[in-house]
Amino acid sequence: MSRKAGIRDVARRCVTVPALVVLIPLACAVLITTVALAPLSLFAGRRERGWQPQRLALYAVVYLVADLVGVCAALVVRLRCLGGGQRRKERLVALNYRLLARLLGFLVACSQRIFSVRVEVDPLIPRPGTRSPDGMVVFARHAGPGDSILLVHGLLCDAGLRPQVVLKEFLRWDPCLDMVLGCLPHCFVPRHADTDGHTSRAIGALAARLRPGEALVVFPEGGNFTERRRTRSIRWLVRTGQLRRAARARRQHHVLPPRMAGPLAALTGARGAGADVVFVAHTGLDHIDSPSRLWHSIPLRKPVRATWWSVPARAIPPERQARETWLTDQWSRVDAWIAQEWGEGAASARTASS
């Protein structure tokens, strides 16, 4: 890390940590207010069927408190691992992964109780010790609030893998995430376009250094799926002369066309490191694409369903153009699985209503 980057990190945390401390009592006040006003809503006949205000306020308090505890724990871990040497660096990484696992486990457990989140994965996630000894690159669909938390939790806590996440740079403003991931292999993607290829090279380097028991997590779409973003992405492909990709994207109704630079760099690194590629598709949170839909979706009435499949490193095409076509084909498979799930859901709803 450069000295300039270190100064920026310190300056940012001098803002985010005090802001976190201020937000906690505010969130507690909102929670107390919503609970106190609940009887009035009952008397007025306006009771929310899902107790949405209370659930949202409670989770906000839980998340903020967990964030503050995580910041304090991350600081203690850093103090315990002061000094140089490879052994101390490895201990710092191990302790931060342990801390991340506990925080994610706590947040997922609270989500299950507060929002009735249920996750069904088919095929089941391999238990630690039963997976391939090589590292892997995980390409996952990005749709709905909290899907990345559930994914990383599944990799770390269920599969026993050490995830290395590619995520947006604005998430640095979460102080706990900033401090914990700052000690782990990761890549923050800046908001501006990667014109100089720096981000792509960083992603490729992470993939090339993958070791057994590690997983590089990439969201090829670059953001949560919404119809508006899908339309905008197709228009951009047309405007930049990528007509074949635009035509393919029009036939994919449940995913955004993958941004190629970062994923292709990850595939190059994965092929060189002998790392397999895993694709993850899910549905159940994708309809929550606005505050109003979030409000009306609480608590969740259907489980989050997910599937995955693995492609060995030797099956990754060596040429860039063939690799781009191959990735698009795999993404079409993600879209087809979601379409099938939505079809089954619609059929179940019609059966239940008849």
Side-chain angles (χ1 to χ4, degrees):
M1 180 187 297
S2 66
R3 182 178 179 182
K4 186 176 180 181
I7 293 174
R8 284 200 305 266
D9 288 346
V10 172
R12 182 178 58 254
R13 290 163 189 168
C14 286
V15 174
T16 57
V17 175
L20 177 63
V21 175
V22 172
L23 284 173
I24 290 176
L26 291 178
C28 291
V30 172
L31 174 61
I32 294 171
T33 302
T34 58
V35 172
L37 293 178
L40 298 179
S41 298
L42 288 172
F43 289 129
R46 296 194 306 269
R47 181 175 72 87
E48 295 289 349
R49 295 179 60 186
W51 299 96
Q52 288 93 335
Q54 292 80 12
R55 292 176 190 266
L56 288 169
L58 176 59
Y59 191 79
V61 172
V62 166
Y63 186 92
L64 292 171
V65 170
D67 219 61
L68 182 58
V69 171
V71 168
C72 296
L75 181 59
V76 171
V77 167
R78 292 191 180 210
L79 292 175
R80 289 177 60 184
C81 299
L82 284 176
Q86 186 63 28
R87 182 173 296 181
R88 286 185 179 272
K89 291 181 180 179
E90 292 176 357
R91 177 173 171 78
L92 178 65
V93 170
L95 289 176
N96 272 283
Y97 270 122
R98 189 183 305 173
L99 172 59
L100 182 61
R102 290 180 178 177
L103 290 171
L104 290 177
F106 174 73
L107 290 176
V108 170
C110 290
S111 299
Q112 292 169 345
R113 291 181 176 273
I114 297 173
F115 299 128
S116 301
V117 174
R118 293 171 293 134
V119 180
E120 298 177 357
V121 183
D122 183 25
L124 295 175
I125 300 175
R127 305 302 300 174
T130 62
R131 63 181 181 273
S132 168
D134 296 324
M136 63 181 63
V137 174
V138 178
F139 288 137
R141 184 200 188 201
H142 205 1
D147 65 329
S148 54
I149 291 178
L150 294 174
L151 172 65
V152 176
H153 172 265
L155 292 172
L156 182 57
C157 300
D158 296 333
L161 295 167
R162 287 185 167 187
Q164 305 176 8
V165 188
V166 178
L167 66 172
K168 291 185 177 180
E169 191 172 36
F170 80 86
L171 290 174
R172 284 182 181 272
W173 292 94
D174 181 320
C176 178
L177 198 63
D178 183 23
M179 293 188 67
V180 173
L181 290 189
C183 297
L184 304 176
H186 68 280
C187 179
F188 281 110
V189 180
R191 183 176 180 181
H192 54 80
D194 185 25
T195 54
D196 58 357
H198 175 75
T199 302
S200 299
R201 288 193 298 272
I203 294 173
L206 284 175
R209 292 195 298 265
L210 283 171
R211 296 183 299 177
E214 297 178 342
L216 175 62
V217 181
V218 182
F219 299 96
E221 294 163 303
N224 271 311
F225 172 86
T226 65
E227 277 297 335
R228 188 174 183 180
R229 283 180 174 169
R230 175 176 173 270
T231 302
R232 193 167 56 205
S233 297
I234 293 173
R235 288 176 179 171
W236 180 83
L237 290 173
V238 172
R239 191 168 59 250
T240 54
Q242 303 180 63
L243 302 183
R244 184 173 297 179
R245 287 190 62 200
R248 191 75 177 268
R250 289 192 185 97
R251 297 195 295 270
Q252 299 172 348
H253 300 283
H254 306 287
V255 295
L256 302 177
R259 301 182 179 185
M260 287 297 174
L264 289 180
L267 288 175
T268 300
R271 197 172 191 274
D276 295 343
V277 181
V278 174
F279 290 88
V280 178
H282 64 84
T283 185
L285 297 172
D286 33 14
H287 65 286
I288 309 176
D289 56 4
S290 67
S292 62
R293 289 190 176 182
L294 172 63
W295 184 272
H296 293 294
S297 298
I298 297 174
L300 292 180
R301 295 160 184 81
K302 296 180 180 179
V304 178
R305 301 191 63 184
T307 190
W308 60 274
W309 61 91
S310 178
V311 181
R314 62 181 179 275
I316 302 174
E319 297 83 11
R320 178 184 175 89
Q321 188 61 44
R323 194 173 291 167
E324 184 174 317
T325 302
W326 175 82
L327 177 60
T328 304
D329 290 340
Q330 296 292 330
W331 218 240
S332 293
R333 182 176 172 181
V334 172
D335 180 74
W337 181 86
I338 299 166
Q340 180 182 0
E341 289 296 310
W342 278 38
E344 289 180 356
S348 300
R350 287 194 297 271
T351 302
S353 62
S354 60

